[in-house]
Amino acid sequence: MSAQQLRRAITEASAGRSGDEAIQEVAAAYIGFVRKHPGLYEAFFHAPDRQEPQLVVESTAALDLLLRLLQPYTLSEAEALHAVRGLRSLCHGFASMGEKGGFGMNFDPDESLQLSVTAFLTGLQHLHS
């Protein structure tokens, strides 16, 4: 199942890491998965259908992982869930634009991803400042 493959990829990428490093690695693994398996990704990218129990299990496991990785940012429960949405949106948008040829300028897209995730994480770190 493709959701399981993506969840494994982000789990492996974050193993032994925490904070900014873990989130950066998760984002890179997410984009890497989409680059390697664009059709699989497109086939399952939607809110989990409650009629597909395995998709629900994998989506819940991925959500739990991301929430754990966001713990160092001292977010409320609601803020953490919003942050997961934000991170997923950032990764999905980046992956979709890359797959559609949207990065035609002579800049390394991986460097652009790292910069974008850094800006996102900096925002989380200063949310309560």
Side-chain angles (χ1 to χ4, degrees), residues 1-6 33 40 44 52-56 58:
M1 166 184 275
S2 50
Q4 182 181 51
Q5 291 174 309
L6 177 58
F33 176 85
L40 286 176
F44 82 87
E52 297 177 55
Q54 188 61 33
L55 184 55
V56 172
E58 295 302 332

Side-chain angles (χ1 to χ4, degrees), residues 32-70:
F33 176 85
V34 177
R35 287 176 181 160
K36 189 173 180 180
H37 308 288
L40 286 176
Y41 176 75
E42 195 63 36
F44 82 87
F45 187 82
H46 56 78
D49 182 344
R50 298 291 169 198
Q51 301 303 316
E52 297 177 55
Q54 188 61 33
L55 184 55
V56 172
V57 166
E58 295 302 332
S59 296
T60 301
L63 174 63
D64 290 344
L65 170 66
L66 293 173
L67 290 172
R68 258 192 334 274
L69 295 176
L70 288 169

Side-chain angles (χ1 to χ4, degrees), residues 77-126:
E77 183 179 342
E79 289 168 339
L81 291 169
H82 288 302
V84 168
R85 278 186 175 173
L87 182 61
R88 286 184 62 218
S89 296
L90 190 153
C91 290
H92 174 73
F94 203 93
S96 295
M97 288 179 67
E99 286 303 305
K100 306 267 188 279
F103 297 130
M105 295 190 320
N106 191 22
F107 287 95
D108 180 1
D110 293 333
E111 190 175 333
S112 297
L113 174 65
Q114 185 176 19
L115 178 75
S116 297
V117 174
T118 296
F120 174 80
L121 294 173
T122 299
L124 291 182
Q125 292 164 356
H126 293 88

